[in-house]
Amino acid sequence: MPRLQVLAIVASVAGIAVSIYLTVVHYAGFAPACPLSGPINCEVVLSSPYAVISGTSIPTSVAGIVWFAISALLWTRPFGQFHVGWAAIGLLAVIYLVFIEIVRLGAICLWCTVAHLLVLGILLIAVTMWNRVKE
């Protein structure tokens, strides 16, 4: 298995861990380990109406668990265009969530940012591997 593929699996597992932490924080009702004032404020982001899947009480971090778990499983398979597509779907979700954080809430959650960067990293790995396949 190529090293980049292993790195994508590691990033996916790290994303699962971050998403589980955010889910536990949501259900336990305690403040996350993050600054609670100013533009970096996890509490503002995680207590907003956007922190749950619309029309439910399920935190968006559960969607993160699912996305990263599928990503980890996918990266154990031979590389193909589906890897790039899945990573692109993740990036679209990240763009939406970052828009919500910055424009709607005026606050950034550090834990969410870690998950977003992991998605971006997975996308970069997928694009890099895709470019190598095309050569």
Side-chain angles (χ1 to χ4, degrees), residues 102-118:
I102 294 171
V103 176
R104 302 272 183 189
L105 303 174
I108 296 287
C109 168
L110 288 180
W111 288 99
C112 303
T113 300
V114 169
H116 299 161
L117 289 173
L118 289 168

Side-chain angles (χ1 to χ4, degrees), residues 94-105:
V94 164
I95 290 168
Y96 169 75
L97 293 170
V98 170
F99 170 81
I100 294 300
E101 284 183 308
I102 294 171
V103 176
R104 302 272 183 189
L105 303 174

Side-chain angles (χ1 to χ4, degrees), residues 42-52 100 105:
C42 295
E43 186 63 27
V44 165
V45 175
L46 298 175
S47 64
S48 78
Y50 299 102
V52 295
I100 294 300
L105 303 174

Side-chain angles (χ1 to χ4, degrees), residues 12-71:
S12 297
V13 170
I16 292 169
V18 170
S19 298
I20 288 173
Y21 171 74
L22 291 172
T23 301
V24 168
V25 164
H26 173 84
Y27 286 116
F30 59 82
C34 178
L36 297 175
S37 64
I40 298 175
N41 190 327
C42 295
E43 186 63 27
V44 165
V45 175
L46 298 175
S47 64
S48 78
Y50 299 102
V52 295
I53 295 170
S54 183
T56 73
S57 62
I58 300 169
T60 55
S61 56
V62 170
I65 294 169
V66 172
W67 188 90
F68 282 114
I70 291 171
S71 179

